[in-house]
Amino acid sequence: MADTSSAQPVFRFAPSPNGLLHLGHALSAMLNHDMARASGGRFLLRIEDIDRTRCRPEFEAAISSDLAWLGLEWEQPVRRQSDHLDLYASGLQRLNEMGLVYPSALSRGEIKAAVANAEAEGRSWPRDPDGTPLYPGRERDLETGARNAIIAGGKPYAWRLDMQKAVLAAGGPPLVWQETGSGPDGETGTIKADPAAWGDVILSRSDAPSSYHLSVVVDDALQGITHVVRGRDLYHATAVHRLLQRLLDLPEPNYHHHRLLLGADGRKLSKSNRDTGISAFREAGRSPADIRALIL
């Protein structure tokens, strides 16, 4: 594990190669790059390509091309998550040995039905900060035999963090993080983390060996990342990351959440919505200076 106690600042930009980068990605990448330069630090590029069904080599090539066109320089070699699946499995195994994870097999349809039934009976169903209903947790207290049956049953399943047990296991001083940017409501400074608001989050699925939550904290620690600079849409998720860092004895980076770029309809830019890619601006004759002026 990298020792970040006295190291020079280390920043990273970590896109997934599941589509073309848009202006929101350019903002995040340039902020990381510029902050690294200003502090005499290092700038790393990490490819988060665990989802092999959506990530494609041509998108990874486009990422490098777009960033280079913007004038950004990063260290080599580039870290690819698909090359380090064993490390995420080790982290999951450690949490399993601590009795903090359990296999869950309810489908999205079954979860949706459970929520609908509860609300039809007049009971409110808790939701996470993104508005998604919390997992019912029906398998949380199953005995070992029943858990093994889920794993061997052939039905897709996920490993979930038993949030209540995990928060208790974390113990120690209150979970906080240092925010040098700001949250959705202007939060900054020392922020109290509330991982319980997310319920029993997924850490691994049978079709994806690690979730974003698990892989990002493992990677940040192994790469010695000292400053995590990312979009404000991930502000609340930091609570889960701080919990996992405490449980896995990983170092705590500083966090800086920046504003999001919005489309004409008021929603954040997104690959899934096919918002205009950086390459389209280049092909239209715009320059890197134009992009900087547009978003910075």
Side-chain angles (χ1 to χ4, degrees):
M1 198 64 60
D3 178 10
T4 61
S5 59
S6 60
Q8 70 183 127
V10 184
F11 297 75
R12 49 75 167 173
F13 176 58
S16 294
N18 55 12
L20 297 175
L21 298 185
H22 52 63
L23 291 181
H25 296 112
L27 172 61
S28 195
M30 288 193 289
L31 284 175
N32 273 281
H33 181 268
D34 293 354
M35 292 170 75
R37 287 289 182 88
S39 63
R42 301 163 56 205
F43 174 62
L44 310 181
L45 173 63
R46 181 166 76 220
I47 300 297
E48 299 193 340
D49 61 344
I50 286 179
D51 186 350
R52 303 307 294 169
T53 61
R54 299 175 60 205
C55 296
R56 289 158 36 187
E58 59 266 35
F59 290 139
E60 181 177 338
I63 287 171
S64 296
S65 178
D66 287 342
L67 296 180
W69 177 75
L70 288 171
L72 308 189
E73 298 178 353
W74 56 92
E75 295 184 10
Q76 296 290 344
V78 171
R79 181 181 179 89
R80 292 174 181 80
Q81 288 184 335
S82 58
D83 294 333
H84 304 282
L85 301 183
D86 57 322
L87 299 177
Y88 315 132
S90 295
L92 180 64
Q93 179 59 29
R94 181 172 175 182
L95 294 171
N96 195 10
E97 291 169 354
M98 296 168 68
L100 301 181
V101 297
Y102 64 90
S104 63
L106 290 184
S107 67
R108 291 183 179 179
E110 290 170 325
I111 297 172
K112 184 176 180 180
V115 174
N117 290 336
E119 293 180 336
E121 295 172 357
R123 293 181 286 130
S124 62
W125 195 278
R127 284 168 163 74
D128 67 26
D130 287 341
T132 302
L134 300 191
Y135 189 73
R138 292 179 183 173
E139 307 98 334
R140 189 183 297 129
D141 299 319
L142 293 178
E143 297 295 333
T144 301
R147 291 189 175 193
N148 290 339
I150 291 176
I151 297 172
K155 183 179 178 180
Y157 68 92
W159 284 100
R160 289 182 178 269
L161 184 68
D162 186 327
M163 184 59 73
Q164 184 175 4
K165 286 184 179 179
V167 170
L168 290 174
L175 278 174
V176 299
W177 77 85
Q178 298 305 312
E179 177 66 51
T180 60
S182 63
D185 296 318
E187 305 95 331
T188 192
T190 300
I191 307 297
K192 182 179 179 181
D194 182 21
W198 290 91
D200 296 351
V201 295
I202 290 177
L203 297 182
S204 175
R205 300 194 310 268
S206 51
D207 62 341
S210 179
S211 72
Y212 169 73
H213 295 307
L214 179 59
S215 58
V216 74
V217 298
V218 170
D219 285 336
D220 284 344
L222 288 173
Q223 291 190 288
I225 303 301
T226 61
H227 293 73
V228 174
V229 179
R230 60 191 183 187
R232 202 167 285 155
D233 53 332
L234 291 169
Y235 172 84
H236 291 293
T238 309
V240 176
H241 302 166
R242 287 294 297 117
L243 175 61
L244 292 174
Q245 288 160 355
R246 174 77 63 83
L247 294 171
L248 296 173
D249 298 319
L250 304 178
E252 172 193 354
N254 292 306
Y255 288 89
H256 182 103
H257 292 91
H258 60 73
R259 63 188 174 89
L260 300 175
L261 296 186
L262 306 179
D265 57 1
R267 57 174 174 75
K268 71 173 184 176
L269 299 183
S270 170
K271 294 176 188 172
S272 60
N273 291 324
R274 297 185 179 181
D275 285 306
T276 304
I278 296 171
S279 57
F281 287 93
R282 180 171 68 248
E283 293 165 2
R286 305 295 288 269
S287 70
D290 291 334
I291 301 301
R292 279 190 170 272
L294 184 63
I295 64 178
L296 292 179

